Amino acid sequence: MYYRSDVVGSLLRPVYLVEARQQYEAGQLSAAEFKRIEDRAVDEAIQLQEEAGLEVVTDGEQRRYAFFGHLVEAMEGFDKFGGWAIPFRDEEGRENLVRRPIVVEKLRWKRNMCAEEFTYLRARTNRVGKVTLISTMQAAVYWDKNKSTSAYPTIESYLADIVDITRREIEELIRLGCTYIQIDAPQYAALLDPKIREGYRIRGIDPDRIVDQTIELDNAVLDGFDKQGIVFGLHICRGNNQSMFYASGGYDPIAEKVFRKTKFHRFLLEYDDERSGTFEPLRFVPEDRIVVLGLVTTKKMRLESQDELIQRIKEAAKYVPLERLALSPQCGFASTWEGNRITPEVQCRKLELVARTARLVWG
């Protein structure tokens, strides 16, 4: 549990993989040929993380079109791009509308969501291999009172299936030897934004009630598994799409509930700029949990200095003791296949910075 250098999940997709996916989806590439190309990309992602010196590695989410793709592509019942369009923006005022999936039919299992990802990763690294899944909070936004009720009359009936599906996947991952599972929950931080809160209301979801509901459901997902020696992490950020974000604000409104009531062992938190607020909300983190400080941005080319990171770690240690802190990037480098506006070279240097700083601070 005391891994000091961590990684959130996704890495930039190489150009050859993006082109291969497009060819495969157009019927111009066979499944066998596409898998060989995917394997190559995963091999390179693992090598990159190992050479950077990270204690924890993922497969870079190279097999997914988006960080939530494992759910959407493994289940029948989603309209892939028919959901709520969320505006992402950056500091320069540029904006990009991103359409989410929407559940339109009763969910039906097609295949395991992450078993292939983990078994391939396990065979190719001696480091701790981590798998990422989405939270019930994230899945909740794929339900809409106007589009989903023929399949699921209430959001509760839909989320009950999400809990069952996720537990089934975790059970299989544990059987395969996985010891570290991360639950991605950017929607917890999305509730800090008034416009997104109103978007929930328009779609028939109470933004205040949904926090309590999904904390309870996320705990139901982990129930029993959290006592088996498996490390569960919760990742919270404010959106990440092509170096853009959809929310701003400190963790204050959600910190006490999320940190104190959930069963997660590690909280991987976005803290790369002023949009994330202060470290003060960390005072609510229980004494038996780890906070992974996401101090290195994946959105910008600027490379943070080691001194800067060490100073910020010291600031956070005023609220959580140093021995219960760790370091990571603030989010994935490519939450969707398009990736963020940084180069592979800068991605590599940022991962090396995380590992090097962690070794210096914690030994």
Side-chain angles (χ1 to χ4, degrees):
M1 185 186 297
Y2 292 93
Y3 318 127
R4 301 303 185 181
S5 56
D6 209 332
V7 62
V8 169
S10 63
L11 298 172
L12 297 172
R13 274 65 156 185
V15 173
Y16 69 77
L17 177 61
V18 174
E19 292 175 348
R21 177 176 273 274
Q22 292 169 339
Q23 291 169 358
Y24 174 64
E25 292 180 347
Q28 299 167 357
L29 200 65
S30 72
E33 290 171 316
F34 181 53
K35 282 299 170 188
R36 282 193 289 270
I37 294 170
E38 272 191 341
D39 290 349
R40 174 188 166 193
V42 174
D43 289 344
E44 291 174 0
I46 295 168
Q47 182 180 2
L48 170 64
Q49 294 167 92
E50 288 185 339
E51 290 181 350
L54 294 168
E55 292 177 76
V56 176
V57 301
T58 73
D59 76 339
E61 298 180 5
Q62 301 294 296
R63 302 187 193 278
R64 305 184 189 184
Y65 77 93
F67 76 96
F68 48 79
H70 60 288
L71 173 67
V72 175
E73 293 192 326
M75 299 294 141
E76 296 281 1
F78 286 106
D79 178 344
K80 199 170 180 178
F81 301 108
W84 181 3
I86 294 289
F88 284 74
R89 55 192 180 278
D90 60 19
E91 290 89 347
E92 286 74 48
R94 287 173 290 200
E95 194 169 280
N96 182 34
L97 272 181
V98 177
R99 296 206 71 88
R100 287 171 160 162
I102 192 77
V103 62
V104 292
E105 297 176 7
K106 193 81 170 174
L107 295 181
R108 297 181 304 282
W109 190 90
K110 289 195 297 185
R111 59 171 174 81
N112 280 101
M113 294 188 283
C114 308
E116 177 190 11
E117 294 177 356
F118 177 71
T119 51
Y120 192 90
L121 175 65
R122 182 192 65 192
R124 282 160 176 78
T125 185
N126 293 320
R127 308 284 170 93
V128 176
K130 177 167 70 174
V131 172
T132 61
L133 296 164
I134 64 167
S135 69
T136 54
M137 185 71 193
Q138 181 65 31
V141 299
Y142 307 154
W143 183 91
D144 186 302
K145 67 178 181 180
N146 297 316
K147 297 181 179 180
S148 306
T149 50
S150 61
Y152 292 99
T154 65
I155 190 170
E156 289 82 6
S157 59
Y158 160 64
L159 291 178
D161 272 4
I162 292 293
V163 169
D164 289 343
I165 289 165
T166 308
R167 284 185 61 83
R168 175 178 179 173
E169 192 69 21
I170 290 173
E171 187 171 27
E172 178 65 3
L173 287 169
I174 292 172
R175 188 190 70 80
L176 292 169
C178 186
T179 59
Y180 187 1
I181 297 171
Q182 176 181 299
I183 305 296
D184 289 326
Q187 283 302 301
Y188 278 123
L191 290 174
L192 304 172
D193 190 293
K195 290 183 179 178
I196 295 181
R197 290 175 67 85
E198 182 57 27
Y200 271 98
R201 292 190 185 96
I202 290 170
R203 285 155 186 84
I205 303 171
D206 183 333
D208 294 310
R209 185 163 172 260
I210 196 68
V211 175
D212 294 314
Q213 277 183 305
T214 52
I215 285 175
E216 183 179 337
L217 293 172
D218 279 341
N219 283 341
V221 166
L222 271 55
D223 189 39
F225 300 132
D226 59 316
K227 306 298 184 184
Q228 296 183 25
I230 310 302
V231 175
F232 286 99
L234 181 71
H235 169 59
I236 303 177
C237 70
R238 291 152 185 78
N240 180 26
N241 187 284
Q242 300 173 71
S243 292
M244 298 184 182
F245 54 86
Y246 57 47
S248 298
Y251 294 96
D252 309 73
I254 61 171
E256 187 167 9
K257 284 184 177 180
V258 173
F259 295 154
R260 288 190 171 172
K261 292 185 177 182
T262 62
K263 295 180 178 181
F264 295 95
H265 305 109
R266 288 166 73 89
F267 296 108
L268 297 96
L269 305 176
E270 177 181 41
Y271 263 122
D272 62 326
D273 61 26
E274 64 282 351
R275 286 188 306 106
S276 303
T278 70
F279 293 124
E280 191 172 351
L282 299 183
R283 71 188 188 276
F284 293 116
V285 176
E287 293 181 358
D288 60 345
R289 314 297 172 84
I290 304 294
V291 173
V292 185
L293 300 169
L295 302 179
V296 175
T297 188
T298 65
K299 291 182 168 71
K300 299 175 183 177
M301 290 284 285
R302 184 182 79 85
L303 186 67
E304 296 82 353
S305 73
Q306 189 165 270
D307 288 345
E308 173 189 341
L309 297 184
I310 292 172
Q311 181 57 40
R312 296 210 68 205
I313 292 169
K314 289 179 179 177
E315 291 172 14
K318 296 174 184 176
Y319 301 97
V320 176
L322 187 63
E323 62 268 21
R324 291 199 290 111
L325 294 176
L327 182 64
S328 76
Q330 48 83 215
C331 196
F333 288 86
S335 297
T336 63
W337 65 269
E338 294 98 335
N340 287 347
R341 299 182 202 139
I342 65 171
T343 63
E345 292 75 22
V346 170
Q347 173 183 250
C348 179
R349 293 177 66 191
K350 284 176 178 284
L351 293 175
E352 290 171 346
L353 176 64
V354 168
R356 186 171 66 249
T357 305
R359 286 194 299 271
L360 182 64
V361 173
W362 289 283

